[in-house]
């Protein structure tokens, strides 16, 4: 079991930037790929992107590619989501997740969820 604690959410103007942090505790962080998901009010939770343990593969959905950057620091048991050029449609609760990533079919199997952090982008 890998407890995940997220931080960094808040209110930002359109065009601005925000960086989310997801910190894991325990001794098994290095065994998992990490993913980011988001859920807007009244909508289903959607996949945003993922990063493998060694960071050799980093994947993003087309809607955020070129604007968002996922990175991780295994020595600190931490993963980041840097969000740039934010748009009002990016407003959502953002969740980090630990799991298994399969690059052949771009599948992320979630094993543990973070609690979520609210990101609000004003126009």
């Amino acid at each position: 079991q890998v407890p995940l604690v997220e931080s960094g959410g808040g209110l930002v103007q359109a065009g601005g930037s925000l960086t989310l942090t997801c910190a894991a505790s325990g001794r098994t962080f290095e065994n998992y790929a990490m993913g980011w998901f988001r859920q807007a009010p009244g909508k289903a939770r959607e996949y945003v992107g993922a990063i493998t343990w060694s960071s050799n593969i980093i994947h993003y959905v087309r809607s955020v590619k070129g604007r968002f950057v996922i990175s991780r620091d295994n020595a600190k048991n931490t993963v980041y989501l840097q969000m740039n050029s934010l748009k009002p449609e990016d407003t959502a609760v953002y969740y980090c997740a630990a799991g298994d990533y399969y690059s052949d079919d771009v599948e992320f199997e979630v094993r543990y969820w973070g609690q979520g952090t609210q990101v609000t982008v004003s126009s």
Side-chain angles (χ1 to χ4, degrees):
Q1 183 169 323
V2 183
L4 304 174
V5 179
E6 302 179 29
S7 62
L11 176 64
V12 63
Q13 292 186 112
S17 299
L18 198 64
T19 298
L20 306 183
T21 298
C22 178
S25 61
R27 301 175 65 251
T28 60
F29 180 79
E30 63 271 23
N31 294 327
Y32 298 103
M34 298 294 296
W36 286 96
F37 296 75
R38 65 185 181 184
Q39 186 168 21
K43 299 182 180 180
R45 189 173 300 186
E46 66 174 343
Y47 167 80
V48 174
I51 183 170
T52 58
W53 174 78
S54 64
S55 299
N56 64 315
I57 300 175
I58 306 175
H59 177 260
Y60 308 89
V61 294
R62 288 191 291 271
S63 60
V64 307
K65 191 173 184 178
R67 298 189 298 122
F68 290 11
V69 179
I70 300 172
S71 62
R72 67 189 294 165
D73 186 339
N74 291 341
K76 297 180 178 180
N77 288 354
T78 303
V79 64
Y80 306 92
L81 177 63
Q82 180 182 337
M83 302 180 290
N84 304 306
S85 301
L86 283 163
K87 306 174 182 179
E89 50 263 45
D90 293 319
T91 295
V93 176
Y94 283 72
Y95 300 86
C96 69
D100 299 316
Y101 179 76
Y102 304 96
S103 61
D104 287 348
D105 55 355
V106 193
E107 178 184 1
F108 191 94
E109 182 179 350
V110 176
R111 297 186 180 275
Y112 304 100
W113 289 105
Q115 81 286 352
T117 185
Q118 177 70 49
V119 173
T120 302
V121 184
S122 64
S123 59

